[in-house]
Amino acid sequence: MTKKPSKLINNPVDRPAHYTSHPSGIEAIEICGYMGFNTGNAFKYVFRMENKWDPVEDLKKSNWYIDRELFQRGFSTKDDLVYHDFYTDWACVMKSHAKTDLIYRIVGKSPGNLEKALFYVWCADLYKTEWWGLKMAKVFINQEIEVRTKKGQQ
């Protein structure tokens, strides 16, 4: 069995490359370090997925933590939420929900599936009693998994 070369260059203990290479310049721990265990891990796996070996695997890990959080909150883990693009003006959404500049820097004004998933995981952690943020994050993560899986099959 051939071992994959490590992407953990620089300082592999304190500041590995996959911790510090997000385009926002923010390190995952700056946000998920203040989140609950499950939501923090779900956030982390989406946030750093492009800088590790298998992005789809990391998206699936994120979903696993979201399901665990849903279960612990007493909600169904079924993918039963159908997304309707209620939020077309993300700048407005961010002004009303983002209480920190960090999440705004990550999500931006025109977010894709991954940025929307990060936003909803963050909201679900902020508003602990809500289930919809976790379900919305799964919708966007699943859409991204589907896109990446189709690209891999071409």
Side-chain angles (χ1 to χ4, degrees), residues 85-96 108-111:
D85 197 0
F86 300 115
Y87 300 132
T88 53
D89 184 359
W90 275 89
C92 178
V93 171
M94 294 306 297
K95 286 178 187 172
S96 64
K109 294 179 183 173
S110 302

Side-chain angles (χ1 to χ4, degrees), residues 7-154:
K7 291 185 180 181
L8 306 180
I9 56 175
N10 300 336
N11 183 335
V13 175
D14 293 328
R15 296 186 58 81
H18 72 285
Y19 280 25
T20 58
S21 54
H22 191 271
S24 66
I26 297 168
E27 192 171 339
I29 200 164
E30 292 179 59
I31 294 184
C32 65
Y34 298 97
M35 298 172 81
F37 182 80
N38 293 323
T39 51
N41 276 299
F43 189 95
K44 170 185 76 174
Y45 276 111
V46 173
F47 190 77
R48 299 188 324 203
M49 60 164 273
E50 293 290 359
N51 302 308
K52 293 178 72 185
W53 296 278
D54 186 348
V56 171
E57 181 178 285
D58 279 357
L59 291 173
K60 290 176 181 179
K61 288 178 183 177
S62 181
N63 270 345
W64 187 90
Y65 280 104
I66 290 171
D67 283 344
R68 184 172 169 82
E69 184 68 17
L70 283 166
F71 176 79
Q72 288 181 342
R73 291 185 188 188
F75 297 109
S76 167
T77 60
K78 291 183 180 178
D79 295 335
D80 53 1
L81 185 66
V82 177
Y83 173 68
H84 301 284
D85 197 0
F86 300 115
Y87 300 132
T88 53
D89 184 359
W90 275 89
C92 178
V93 171
M94 294 306 297
K95 286 178 187 172
S96 64
H97 290 289
K99 296 178 181 174
T100 175
D101 181 52
L102 291 178
I103 196 69
Y104 187 78
R105 284 174 44 204
I106 291 167
V107 174
K109 294 179 183 173
S110 302
N113 288 336
L114 298 176
E115 292 82 11
K116 289 177 183 177
L118 289 169
F119 174 76
Y120 283 114
V121 170
W122 177 80
C123 282
D125 187 78
L126 185 64
Y127 307 110
K128 300 278 190 238
T129 59
E130 301 293 340
W131 58 267
W132 57 267
L134 295 167
K135 295 271 186 157
M136 289 299 293
K138 281 185 70 172
V139 166
F140 290 112
I141 290 169
N142 288 335
Q143 286 178 3
E144 190 66 22
I145 289 171
E146 186 177 324
V147 166
R148 288 170 182 266
T149 302
K150 284 181 181 176
K151 281 183 184 178
Q153 293 175 352
Q154 293 176 355

